[in-house]
Amino acid sequence: MVSIALDGPAGAGKSTLARAAAEKLGYIYVDTGALYRAVGLKFSREGHGTELDCDIEKILEDTSVDIRFIGKEQHVFLDGEDVNSLIRTPEISMMASAVSAKPPVRAFLLELQRKLARENNVIMDGRDIGTVVLPDATVKVFVTATPETRANRRYKELTEKGMSVNYDDILSDIKTRDYNDSHRAVAPLKVAPGGIVFDTDDLGFEAALDSLMKIIEKGVNQ
Ligand code: DC
């Protein structure tokens, strides 16, 4: 099986690029952030905030997270419920970042991710795919851009969905999440050994996709 690991900070364009590249290659696209978001939703539903002042393992014992593909679209199920439409809010973004720093949560989601890559050709996007989940991935890419570029993209994406959001809040959330994601003790966000850094700052979508496809093709054919 071929696996492409696409890591990088929030809003770098990973998911849009990964979805389009997967389509071109005929691979499945796995958005691992959605798994952490589903766990974040669970803790939020249990009445907890980002301080997570609770027995995490006990809550996880009563939690099931699964991915199913409906057409080519990934749907995440939390305790049997399709929660795709509930996990993209700013509140759940912060909850996902908080739960993702907890080792039991990372351990809880690890096997599901590895199983998907064992059984399918995948493009998997996340923070630790090349470093922890699939250290033997065929190609490892670290997609990045400045916080301001990323905040702009996220602002556009959310307002296009009809959500009422504030640019400064998004930028500040992105900076907080960058800090949390790259300073946590377990599986921090960093470039994997053998990873290729891909800066999308000055690239429009088509140019970025073009460059990414070249990186992937070169890596797969090596
Ligand atoms: O990619 P995203 O914004 O949907 O991810 C939500 C949060 O989940 C993000 O703050 C970091 C965390 N995450 C992670 O720790 N590891 C992954 N493989 C994917 C996401």
Side-chain angles (χ1 to χ4, degrees):
M1 288 296 168
V2 178
S3 52
I4 315 293
L6 225 56
D7 290 306
K14 296 187 303 285
S15 61
T16 328
L17 285 171
R19 185 174 285 112
E23 177 80 38
K24 278 183 184 281
L25 293 161
Y27 296 179
I28 63 167
Y29 161 51
V30 182
D31 164 13
T32 63
L35 303 175
Y36 290 91
R37 287 170 180 273
V39 174
L41 176 62
K42 172 75 176 217
F43 280 75
S44 163
R45 283 179 167 175
E46 294 283 314
H48 302 293
T50 50
E51 70 291 347
L52 295 174
D53 207 357
C54 54
D55 186 340
I56 291 172
E57 276 161 340
K58 190 153 182 297
I59 293 176
L60 290 176
E61 273 171 26
D62 272 326
T63 303
S64 82
V65 172
D66 199 11
I67 281 185
R68 289 180 221 157
F69 290 89
I70 303 177
K72 280 178 190 154
E73 198 59 32
Q74 165 184 307
H75 286 248
V76 177
F77 286 74
L78 171 65
D79 300 329
E81 175 192 352
D82 184 342
V83 293
N84 259 27
S85 62
L86 305 176
I87 55 176
R88 300 285 156 198
T89 64
E91 185 217 337
I92 297 303
S93 297
M94 296 311 280
M95 284 301 288
S97 184
V99 296
S100 74
K102 303 293 180 189
V105 173
R106 304 204 72 83
F108 176 75
L109 296 174
L110 187 59
E111 181 48 28
L112 170 61
Q113 297 170 80
R114 288 190 172 155
K115 184 168 181 283
L116 285 162
R118 271 198 306 275
E119 296 175 353
N120 306 276
N121 291 326
V122 292
I123 295 194
M124 198 173 274
D125 102 36
R127 302 293 189 287
D128 63 336
I129 308 306
T131 51
V132 176
V133 179
L134 306 174
D136 297 324
T138 322
V139 185
K140 302 175 195 174
V141 186
F142 190 88
V143 187
T144 189
T146 62
E148 289 73 19
T149 302
R150 291 185 278 125
N152 257 318
R153 290 179 185 157
R154 191 52 55 107
Y155 177 81
K156 234 179 121 216
E157 183 189 323
L158 295 175
T159 47
E160 275 166 10
K161 281 187 189 154
M163 292 167 83
S164 150
V165 285
N166 174 286
Y167 171 83
D168 291 331
D169 291 346
I170 293 180
L171 181 59
S172 138
D173 277 6
I174 278 187
K175 286 182 174 170
T176 307
R177 285 212 286 151
D178 278 2
Y179 186 86
N180 292 347
D181 295 348
S182 51
H183 286 80
R184 66 184 176 217
V186 274
L189 173 65
K190 61 175 184 209
V191 183
I196 296 157
V197 178
F198 177 38
D199 187 339
T200 65
D201 244 336
D202 299 319
L203 298 177
F205 172 72
E206 288 302 332
L209 179 59
D210 221 47
S211 302
L212 178 64
M213 290 306 293
K214 289 198 176 102
I215 293 170
I216 293 174
E217 275 154 21
K218 191 163 170 234
V220 168
N221 294 322
Q222 227 164 36

